[in-house]
Amino acid sequence: MKSAQYIREVPQRYRLEAGKCTGCGKLHFPPRLVCDGCGSREFEAATLPRQGTLLTWTVIHAAPPQFSLETPYVVGIVELDGGVRLTCQVADCDPEELAVGAPVELVFRRIKEDNAADIIQYGYKAVLRRE
Ligand SMILES: [Zn+2]
């Protein structure tokens, strides 16, 4: 990843910043240029809730080279409170304990190092909420 692209994505990666349509209120994550709800091009920044539920997941055994040392790991689709869905790694879990609808929250973690650009990337991962 080029460093300029990385810097551009920092608000999403680090602050879970979504684009909230000022026309209809729909949240878009990642932010987009045109609302698919009403066609508006006007957005304001909105921070996504960190809590949600696990919709589905898969265990990755054969990963791209930059993640090969982490296998096996879990990638899931999370629906945050409010309805935004995103794909992310599900960390600190045994896949056997995962369930559809399990409560999760997003935490901030190291994602990978990009040695070519000399960047350590951070971002969000989901973990199970254990009450
Ligand atoms: Zn809209």
Side-chain angles (χ1 to χ4, degrees), residues 2-82:
K2 294 234 174 12
S3 57
Q5 179 190 352
Y6 182 73
I7 290 166
R8 205 163 50 240
E9 294 176 356
V10 158
Q12 303 160 38
R13 292 173 176 276
Y14 284 27
R15 296 196 294 268
L16 287 177
E17 197 170 273
K20 182 177 183 181
C21 174
T22 58
C24 69
K26 183 171 182 178
L27 287 170
H28 298 280
F29 185 81
R32 48 190 295 162
L33 293 175
V34 180
C35 177
D36 65 0
C38 72
S40 169
R41 292 173 177 269
E42 302 290 321
F43 296 90
E44 60 188 17
T47 302
L48 292 173
R50 289 183 175 272
Q51 302 204 325
T53 55
L54 185 63
L55 296 182
T56 187
W57 69 92
T58 188
V59 181
I60 306 291
H61 293 280
Q66 67 267 34
F67 295 112
S68 61
L69 294 177
E70 298 184 42
T71 56
Y73 61 89
V74 178
V75 170
I77 298 176
V78 169
E79 183 169 291
L80 299 175
D81 296 353

